[in-house]
Amino acid sequence: MSQRIVGSTGDLAALAAAVLQPGFVGTTPPPWVCRWLGEGLGSVVLFARNVVDHDQVAALTAGLRAERPDVVVAIDEEAGDVTRIESARGSSRPGNHALGAVDDPALTEAVARDLGAELAAVGVTLDYAPDADVNSDPDNPVIGVRAFGADPHLVARHTAAWVRGLQAGGVAACAKHFPGHGDTRVDSHHDLPRIGGDRARLDAVELAPFRAAVAAGAQAVMTGHLLVPALDPDLPATLSPRVLGGLLREEMGFGGVVVTDAVEMRAVADRYGFAGAAVRALVAGADAICVGGERATEADARELRDAIVAAVIGGELPEERLAEAAKRVGQLAAWSVAARTRRVTGPPPADGTPIGLAAARRAVRVRGDAGLLPLAGPAHVVEFAPPRNIAIGEETPWGIAAPLAHLMPGTTTVRYAADAVPADPGTGPADRPLVLVVRDLHRHDWMRAAVGRALAARPDAVVVELGVPEVVTGAVHLATHGATAAAARAAAELLAGTRRP
């Protein structure tokens, strides 16, 4: 197959750079990124390692725009357990599952608009959010509280509200992980998940929130590295022309930017190679290649750029397809420039409470004997730490102990992981209230066993669930529907009695 080459290899290299969204290391723009922005690079993506505080991020993005005024600056900020802009302190907003528990789309839109205004103010133009997955398998190891819930209609209406709010705040939304990562027990960071069900099931469940996102005007959609046999029995969605071209573009009518999930993830990289996955994704219909969570050097970006150029020269990737992808990225950049000038902010709450905290308070659910609240005095807090979800920053703090100790000085705490739980899981003095803190108790046998031992010794203990509340236990049970800083404070207020249930 012969290919018409766009003038020169240099032109092709610029086009190839235009479709990359690389990450980098450092809190200032590294020289190679600045150089690449002058040579065609259209986007970058920020991670927690690039964030110190808002002033620093604003200076960083200003430095990027000095090299290319319309550069797309992306971030993976879900405003929940997955936070980058607040990775060092935890999110000041509730995540999707908490917003779904409240089920007030106007509140969801207001929270997302507030986030959009904050991100726009520091120079971010594209957010890899909202998570539009339907968490239909409660044992899902990577989605969980990142989803609005398990009901596709609820997820659809909140996905649309989140898109509207974020984009009103001046930042492009990117609904993920198309065509839906909720019904799996495999994490695509590690292996290739398989999404079962026939096409009718996909239409009714997985695809409903993405249709809502498209209808709401989402500027971008992120692909999931998922094998969905009902759509394509052979290729993961990220690499499938049937999924990206046939379904998303033609059937669903999406005209924005299709962004891949990170191409270094093992679900695709182990099978098709790092650069091979990027090329195949472009062939399939993707417009932007996200990379750099784990591979963030100039050499990594160069490997992808050179592979894309070679694929065009060799006939594997049509030049027109690459040019189309670069054009869509350019259109997103133009939208972002305009959005920065027309962004809107909502009115502040009448009582001065930040919208994130107000929303987190509304999401807490209390079951059991609410008469046991507030606690009689400083508590002993036992926190059970599940295996790390790789999507959540290792540096991001979580737990009830710190905010509770602030409200109730003298509170003590201990934290156990699966390999370090003693036979007596630290129930503390009998005259001191006991608080057991869990995340996704239903998913971890060791955690349920430890909580069971603690409750046998102390049936008056309070259980605080920071994950998906599938299991309700304890004399009184608080479900925050997320482990954000806002959620922890909302729960601590109820425990300390500074706020009533």
Side-chain angles (χ1 to χ4, degrees):
M1 178 180 177
S2 63
Q3 293 291 318
R4 177 179 60 84
I5 303 302
V6 189
S8 70
T9 301
D11 294 331
L12 279 178
L15 275 181
V19 303
L20 297 181
Q21 294 191 342
F24 56 87
V25 176
T27 56
T28 59
W32 76 266
V33 169
C34 294
R35 185 174 69 254
W36 277 54
L37 288 169
E39 297 172 353
L41 181 65
S43 312
V44 298
V45 55
L46 304 182
F47 294 90
R49 63 181 177 234
N50 306 120
V51 175
V52 175
D53 55 34
H54 284 43
D55 289 343
Q56 169 267 326
V57 175
L60 186 157
T61 60
L64 295 170
R65 287 195 304 276
E67 302 295 335
R68 178 167 184 156
D70 66 345
V71 59
V72 173
V73 181
I75 198 168
D76 187 13
E77 175 58 56
E78 297 178 12
D81 288 22
V82 177
T83 179
R84 311 305 180 209
I85 202 71
E86 295 185 287
S87 63
R89 59 181 179 271
S91 177
S92 58
R93 301 172 180 88
N96 284 2
H97 201 56
L99 293 170
V102 177
D103 196 13
D104 178 354
L107 177 67
T108 295
E109 186 168 344
V111 170
R113 183 172 59 245
D114 182 64
L115 173 66
E118 179 179 339
L119 293 178
V122 299
V124 171
T125 63
L126 170 65
D127 188 8
Y128 295 153
D131 188 312
D133 299 313
V134 179
N135 196 54
S136 42
D137 187 338
D139 286 327
N140 193 311
V142 70
I143 302 301
V145 295
R146 300 169 66 195
F148 290 108
D151 178 277
H153 301 292
L154 179 146
V155 176
R157 61 179 171 266
H158 287 277
T159 293
W162 217 96
V163 167
R164 291 192 301 267
L166 186 76
Q167 295 189 165
V171 173
C174 181
K176 64 187 183 187
H177 307 82
F178 185 80
H181 204 317
D183 191 17
T184 179
R185 298 186 183 187
V186 175
D187 182 346
S188 54
H189 292 89
H190 302 301
D191 204 350
L192 180 64
R194 183 183 185 278
I195 307 298
D198 59 18
R199 179 58 197 271
R201 144 80 194 213
L202 292 171
D203 280 329
V205 180
E206 279 79 8
L207 296 178
F210 291 99
R211 293 186 191 279
V214 172
Q219 291 296 304
V221 168
M222 175 174 279
T223 68
H225 302 324
L226 313 161
L227 185 66
V228 189
L231 302 175
D232 188 327
D234 302 315
L235 292 171
T238 297
L239 314 182
S240 171
R242 295 185 192 179
V243 175
L244 303 188
L247 175 58
L248 183 56
R249 291 289 187 206
E250 296 173 16
E251 185 177 330
M252 297 176 65
F254 179 64
V257 171
V258 176
V259 184
T260 70
D261 208 344
V263 292
E264 67 263 43
M265 290 167 62
R266 295 184 62 182
V268 291
D270 279 3
R271 288 164 175 79
Y272 304 97
F274 174 54
V279 169
R280 283 173 173 261
L282 290 167
V283 172
D287 304 304
I289 305 298
C290 173
V291 62
E294 298 171 43
R295 299 190 60 167
T297 68
E298 181 178 11
D300 295 320
R302 184 184 299 112
E303 182 179 346
L304 295 185
R305 183 191 64 187
D306 292 351
I308 293 167
V309 171
V312 174
I313 293 173
E316 180 183 357
L317 172 62
E319 173 190 304
E320 292 79 6
R321 169 80 273 276
L322 178 59
E324 176 189 53
K327 180 179 179 180
R328 286 206 183 97
V329 173
Q331 290 169 339
L332 174 61
W335 181 95
S336 299
V337 170
R340 286 173 59 83
T341 65
R342 61 172 182 260
R343 65 182 187 265
V344 297
T345 57
D351 65 356
T353 302
I355 184 66
L357 179 58
R361 287 170 173 168
R362 289 179 62 183
V364 179
R365 298 291 180 267
V366 180
R367 299 179 186 177
D369 186 359
L372 294 175
L373 299 180
L375 302 177
H380 181 62
V381 179
V382 182
E383 296 178 337
F384 297 96
R388 179 174 167 248
N389 178 331
I390 197 169
I392 299 171
E394 190 171 9
E395 74 287 344
T396 303
W398 65 274
I400 296 298
L404 186 58
H406 176 74
L407 297 174
M408 303 185 79
T411 292
T412 56
T413 183
V414 63
R415 178 174 290 184
Y416 297 121
D419 59 356
V421 181
D424 172 12
T427 53
D431 61 348
R432 176 174 275 216
L434 176 64
V435 179
L436 307 174
V437 181
V438 298
R439 294 177 82 172
D440 291 341
L441 181 62
H442 66 286
R443 290 184 50 235
H444 306 289
D445 293 342
W446 68 270
M447 193 183 295
R448 288 196 304 278
V451 168
R453 294 196 301 274
L455 289 175
R458 291 289 302 274
D460 61 333
V462 176
V463 175
V464 180
E465 171 63 84
L466 303 182
V468 178
E470 288 286 315
V471 174
V472 177
T473 189
V476 60
H477 183 276
L478 275 66
T480 63
H481 303 90
T484 70
R489 176 174 167 182
E493 290 172 343
L494 293 180
L495 295 171
T498 60
R499 186 171 65 90
R500 296 297 298 172

